[in-house]
Amino acid sequence: MLRDDMADTMITAQEIQARVAELGQQISADYAGQDLLLIAVLKGGVLFLTDLMRHISVPHAIDFMAISSYGHSTETTGVVRILKDLDDPIDGRNVLIVEDIVDTGRTMDYLLRILNARRPASLRVCTLLSKPSRRELDVPLDYVGFDIPNEFVFGYGLDLRELYRDQPFIAALRPEYYGASLQELLEGSE
Ligand code: IMP
């Protein structure tokens, strides 16, 4: 496990679950009587998707995309690449993108552009987290779980060097450890 002095809890599991339930209710009301396709962005959006869909009462399908924008760095490189495309066409569908976090907005801007080109009936965005102070591109966010400050966060789907996606809370890495190796971040490795 992570050493205690490396990170602080930013959003508790209870706060996340309460907010996800609210978002699910809001989405259910907005899409009542309509077709709905949720598109989750791998890997970070997976925990959010599986919790969110259990609170969406309208029938809905799911599909997945994988996009690479960060590599293993805590800073954006601005490079966006499709690693896995959707299984099915989305023309004429009501599409809701389910994302873990919108930071600079570059990834979401790219996703919106390529998905819009496929002519969905509607295209909206639901993100668990947003860092408004980091935004470089003005992307429309229809549903936002939490606005957070400019800190590197992990847990609940988000990774720290590919680890800790399983944690039920969101934690912020202390800035003095942004450059630390995994070895340095792990308990008992001093
Ligand atoms: P953007 O293109 O700068 O908006 O970055 C979006 C992507 O960067 C997200 O889908 C995450 O994969 C990653 N990301 C941004 N901030 C964080 C963070 O604080 N922790 C973990 N991943 C992050």
Side-chain angles (χ1 to χ4, degrees):
M1 193 50 206
L2 263 196
R3 285 168 36 181
D4 277 352
D5 63 336
M6 299 287 179
D8 301 290
T9 303
M10 182 184 274
I11 308 171
T12 66
Q14 289 83 349
E15 288 168 332
I16 293 172
Q17 291 304 323
R19 187 72 186 116
V20 171
E22 281 177 3
L23 290 170
Q25 281 156 19
Q26 206 182 330
I27 291 164
S28 304
D30 292 352
Y31 288 90
Q34 296 179 46
D35 149 73
L36 174 60
L37 172 65
L38 304 178
I39 293 180
V41 184
L42 296 172
K43 306 168 194 168
V46 166
L47 267 76
F48 182 34
L49 172 80
T50 55
D51 281 346
L52 183 66
M53 62 192 289
R54 283 177 274 199
H55 291 283
I56 297 179
S57 55
V58 298
H60 55 275
I62 60 171
D63 205 344
F64 296 94
M65 272 190 106
I67 278 189
S68 146
S69 55
Y70 266 61
H72 286 177
S73 163
T74 45
E75 277 297 315
T76 182
T77 57
V79 178
V80 178
R81 223 159 31 104
I82 293 186
L83 302 177
K84 181 215 172 291
D85 207 338
L86 298 172
D87 288 342
D88 295 310
I90 59 165
D91 54 298
R93 314 279 320 256
N94 291 316
V95 173
L96 180 61
I97 301 173
V98 177
E99 177 60 300
D100 52 356
I101 185 165
V102 176
D103 185 27
T104 63
R106 286 177 183 278
T107 308
M108 191 51 70
D109 179 71
Y110 173 79
L111 259 180
L112 286 170
R113 278 187 286 120
I114 55 164
L115 295 182
N116 257 322
R118 300 179 189 185
R119 307 210 172 279
S122 68
L123 182 60
R124 291 191 187 148
V125 177
C126 176
T127 184
L128 179 71
L129 305 174
S130 170
K131 293 182 192 169
S133 66
R134 289 266 302 164
R135 205 75 86 243
E136 291 172 17
L137 294 174
D138 185 23
V139 285
L141 303 179
D142 302 280
Y143 306 94
V144 177
F146 302 91
D147 280 332
I148 62 167
N150 178 20
E151 293 180 52
F152 186 82
V153 292
F154 62 93
Y156 197 70
L158 292 140
D159 76 297
L160 175 63
R161 317 273 200 281
E162 286 300 324
L163 299 178
Y164 308 114
R165 294 187 193 275
D166 55 304
Q167 298 302 305
F169 51 80
I170 300 282
L173 185 66
R174 293 198 181 153
E176 55 268 38
Y177 295 108
Y178 281 7
S181 69
L182 187 58
Q183 194 63 21
E184 288 163 332
L185 293 172
L186 292 173
E187 217 166 44
S189 57
E190 284 171 277

